[in-house]
Amino acid sequence: MFVIATAGHVDHGKSTLVRALTGMEPDRWAEERRRGMTIDLGFAWTSLGDDETTAFVDVPGHQRFVTNMLAGVGPVTAVMFVVAADEGWRRQSAEHLAALHALDVRHGVLAVTRSDLADPGPAIAQARERLDGTGLAGIPAVAVSAVTGRGLATLRDTLRDLTRALPAPAPGPARLWVDRSFSVRGSGTVVTGTLASGTVAVGDELLLYPSGRTVQVRGLQSLKADVDRADAVSRLAVNLRGLSTDEVRRGHALVQPGAFAPVTSMDVRLVRAADRLPAQLTLHLGSAAVAVRVRMLGPSAARLTLATPLPLHVGERGLLRDPGAQHIVAGFAVLDTMPPGLHARGDARRRATALAGMRDRPTVAEEVARRGAVRREALVTAGVLATGDADPDGVVAAGGWLIDPVVWKQWAMALHRAVDEWAAANPLSPGIAPDAAARRAGIIDARLVGALAAEAGLVLDGGGVHGRDTGIRFPAPVRRALDEMCARLHDAPFAAPGAEDLARLGLSRQHLAAAVTAGVLIRVTDGVYLLPSAPAEALRRVAALRQPFTVSQARAAWDTSRRVAVPLLEHLDQQGVTRRLDTARRILTKEPR
């Protein structure tokens, strides 16, 4: 299917021409037919002589209904621009052209109507002159009369040639801008719109913006025919399950989950704008019309803050209209849907300089290089990266992030410095915790520390981040105290020093914990430390006892106190080499080596 919007001044015959081409009545309201003036969007379709169907979105031409007109042309990439031979170029012709140019519409046909009432030559020449310098410059022109039928066959052929020349829809996620919402008895809420990208099928779950609510597709119609699935480009009626008509309206959008994020602030490149714009304007994009606050950053750059969030991608085109003065003041291209804050003096000027060097549709590598590091999912919802695309060459992918290689190397070096500084200041610590290392090194996410540690030749284990060839460096007095304690335990393996002995030796909890991490001691329980060989020796001695044995028997075999014997037995139980039978007895479950 192909979708073409009409454009042109009021009463130049747009609806009459669509009626003549399709045999359908595009004006849906009785008031429109009574007044002979389109006030809202109309829809009609036909075959132009091939197997494809061409749908027309007929838009109003009166100045009072420009918002409705913009809702119709917003999602469409081709136009039938209508100018009357007996009136020529008029005010709304100019505003409609400004809108189409701002939206970067480049495919169209110029239809000069009422050619039975006046020579169409001057109107064609005048229109061609006005179209020069826009995306529609050089489009074919056809003189036509819907009353006499003159030129209708030629117009149909020209429109067919136009549809054949239209580029295939750009691949992308599903998004349908809603232009109508109504209720059907027995079915519930139905919305219509132009599906400009992606695919929608019955049963799909979509997100309704701006609310972000999940809705399910109950049924689909394309040009009043039931379908199970529709691909872009299509005119669709979508029956939504469990949604009332007052919860959805024109300007809302149905989008594929995970493919868009609600945008409330964005930086844009302005097209055909004055040096200064009013601070309050209306943004038109798709079928949406949203109030925005404008902050000029430079001659052709601005930050737009939206009163209502919209699901937008980088590179999209929209326009800004002054509702008070009732004219379009600028077009724009979206450059950044995740703009940085502007807080310091000179930030706006520097940002304008950066935006001047950005392309409307950047590559993934360009976007990563500009940001330094960015979540992969953020580039997907910004429309820079497709969901199923492989990670691009030239960037580092780790932990859900895409990182510029220069930044990655800087982080690795900063991590190495942080680890060295921590080790120098904390000689008894086995390493620095990942969160602390990330903060010190300026790493954006602590989950990247493991990969960066490997990059920097470091180790991340239970003790934190540390060097490969550096262990705990005990001060000389602590080393001597540990040597004395180990010598005593070597002679009496189960005579764990008590609190007074540890205090006399000058060994604090920190020293003992470091000794355990270094493998000098093991901690049986709080305040009970033995040599690492103690459990094996304890097992060998209880193996010589008659089974089962009691705590008292084990204590005697180990020549120690209950303070040591009870937790040591519990330690052996946890190791699975002894097993408790009742409150008093245990048995050996594993022979000592």
Side-chain angles (χ1 to χ4, degrees):
M1 181 190 300
F2 304 102
V3 182
I4 299 174
T6 65
H9 192 74
V10 62
D11 200 33
H12 276 200
K14 296 185 294 298
S15 300
T16 302
L17 193 54
V18 169
R19 195 178 300 115
L21 287 168
T22 66
M24 300 177 67
E25 175 56 68
D27 288 336
R28 295 180 291 114
W29 308 112
E31 181 184 358
E32 293 178 304
R33 294 190 287 272
R34 178 178 58 80
R35 296 170 61 181
M37 183 178 71
T38 300
I39 62 176
D40 202 355
L41 301 179
F43 309 98
W45 54 91
T46 189
S47 172
L48 294 173
D50 51 24
D51 293 335
E52 297 289 347
T53 298
T54 298
F56 292 90
V57 180
D58 188 35
V59 307
H62 196 282
Q63 180 182 3
R64 286 185 295 158
F65 307 114
V66 169
T67 297
N68 291 348
M69 174 268 177
L70 295 174
V73 301
V76 179
T77 59
V79 63
M80 181 170 66
F81 203 104
V82 177
V83 177
D86 58 336
E87 289 194 0
W89 196 263
R90 299 295 296 275
R91 174 177 176 176
Q92 291 312 114
S93 306
E95 184 163 19
H96 285 201
L97 178 60
L100 295 166
H101 181 61
L103 296 172
D104 200 32
V105 176
R106 296 177 176 271
H107 307 279
V109 171
L110 173 63
V112 177
T113 58
R114 303 213 291 258
S115 61
D116 56 316
L117 301 180
D119 178 7
I124 291 176
Q126 184 186 34
R128 286 197 181 283
E129 181 181 351
R130 299 301 179 94
L131 292 174
D132 280 347
T134 75
L136 295 175
I139 61 174
V142 179
V144 64
S145 169
V147 175
T148 67
R150 173 190 172 186
L152 277 177
T154 302
L155 179 59
R156 292 177 67 89
D157 291 342
T158 306
L159 289 169
R160 184 181 65 243
D161 292 341
L162 167 66
T163 60
R164 289 174 175 174
L166 288 176
R175 182 180 62 182
L176 181 142
W177 288 103
V178 175
D179 51 40
R180 289 179 65 206
S181 172
F182 52 92
S183 181
V184 175
R185 185 183 297 274
S187 296
T189 298
V190 175
V191 300
T192 67
T194 300
L195 180 67
S197 63
T199 299
V200 175
V202 174
D204 280 356
E205 287 192 341
L206 302 174
L207 296 181
L208 175 65
Y209 277 108
S211 68
R213 174 178 174 177
T214 299
V215 296
Q216 188 176 46
V217 177
R218 181 180 182 182
L220 281 176
Q221 282 192 348
S222 180
L223 306 183
K224 295 191 175 181
D226 290 337
V227 294
D228 293 327
R229 174 189 177 96
D231 300 317
V233 174
S234 298
R235 279 296 304 174
L236 291 181
V238 186
N239 183 198
L240 298 175
R241 190 185 305 277
L243 188 73
S244 64
T245 54
D246 59 1
E247 294 177 283
V248 58
R249 59 176 174 79
R250 177 176 294 172
H252 290 182
L254 293 172
V255 304
Q256 179 179 316
F260 293 87
V263 176
T264 56
S265 178
M266 60 185 180
D267 286 346
V268 302
R269 175 177 290 111
L270 298 172
V271 180
R272 289 193 171 186
D275 290 339
R276 302 298 302 176
L277 296 181
Q280 302 291 333
L281 292 171
T282 299
L283 175 151
H284 294 268
L285 196 153
S287 64
V290 174
V292 294
R293 186 172 70 252
V294 181
R295 177 178 180 181
M296 296 296 294
L297 303 176
S300 61
R303 175 157 298 179
L304 306 181
T305 302
L306 287 65
T308 303
L310 294 177
L312 305 178
H313 278 171
V314 169
E316 295 200 71
R317 294 294 191 107
L319 56 89
L320 299 172
R321 188 169 186 267
D322 188 335
Q326 295 188 337
H327 70 277
I328 294 166
V329 297
F332 66 82
V334 179
L335 297 180
D336 193 345
T337 58
M338 303 172 285
L342 302 174
H343 306 297
R345 182 183 295 273
D347 277 357
R349 174 178 47 80
R350 287 185 288 271
R351 182 60 174 163
T353 302
L355 292 171
M358 291 168 57
R359 297 195 300 161
D360 291 1
R361 297 188 181 276
T363 65
V364 175
E366 288 171 342
E367 193 72 358
V368 171
R370 184 170 66 81
R371 296 181 181 277
V374 60
R375 295 289 300 177
R376 191 183 198 281
E377 63 188 26
L379 291 189
V380 170
T381 58
V384 178
L385 179 67
T387 304
D389 284 355
D391 293 327
D393 296 333
V395 302
V396 178
W401 289 85
L402 299 178
I403 305 118
D404 181 71
V406 174
V407 172
W408 184 255
K409 291 291 185 184
Q410 291 172 343
W411 281 350
M413 291 187 292
L415 179 63
H416 207 297
R417 288 194 300 270
V419 169
D420 288 346
E421 292 169 359
W422 176 267
N426 302 273
L428 296 182
S429 172
I432 181 173
D435 286 352
R439 287 194 300 271
R440 286 170 174 253
I443 298 167
I444 200 167
D445 187 340
R447 290 171 292 186
L448 297 173
V449 168
L452 283 163
E455 175 78 19
L458 303 170
V459 174
L460 172 60
D461 56 24
V465 190
H466 55 83
R468 293 183 183 278
D469 55 356
T470 57
I472 295 174
R473 297 185 291 273
F474 293 101
V478 175
R479 182 73 263 179
R480 287 193 297 270
L482 288 173
D483 288 345
E484 180 181 343
M485 179 177 173
C486 290
R488 289 173 55 182
L489 288 171
H490 185 270
D491 294 336
F494 308 105
E500 291 183 0
D501 285 339
L502 293 173
R504 181 185 59 78
L505 290 169
L507 294 175
S508 66
R509 285 178 177 269
Q510 183 184 16
H511 297 146
L512 293 167
V516 170
T517 301
V520 176
L521 299 172
I522 63 167
R523 177 182 176 277
V524 179
T525 190
D526 191 26
V528 177
Y529 296 87
L530 300 175
L531 295 177
S533 59
E537 175 62 17
L539 186 62
R540 187 185 66 78
R541 294 191 188 187
V542 296
L545 298 175
R546 183 173 179 175
Q547 304 295 312
F549 61 91
T550 64
V551 173
S552 295
Q553 289 171 327
R555 182 181 63 78
W558 296 337
D559 190 21
T560 189
S561 65
R562 286 183 64 85
R563 179 180 70 89
V564 176
V566 170
L568 182 54
L569 282 170
E570 291 173 349
H571 177 81
L572 296 176
D573 291 345
Q574 292 172 358
Q575 300 299 312
V577 295
T578 59
R579 179 164 58 85
R580 190 169 187 162
L581 297 179
D582 51 36
T583 57
R585 299 177 303 156
R586 281 180 172 81
I587 61 170
L588 190 70
T589 60
K590 189 174 183 180
E591 291 294 330
R593 295 180 179 180

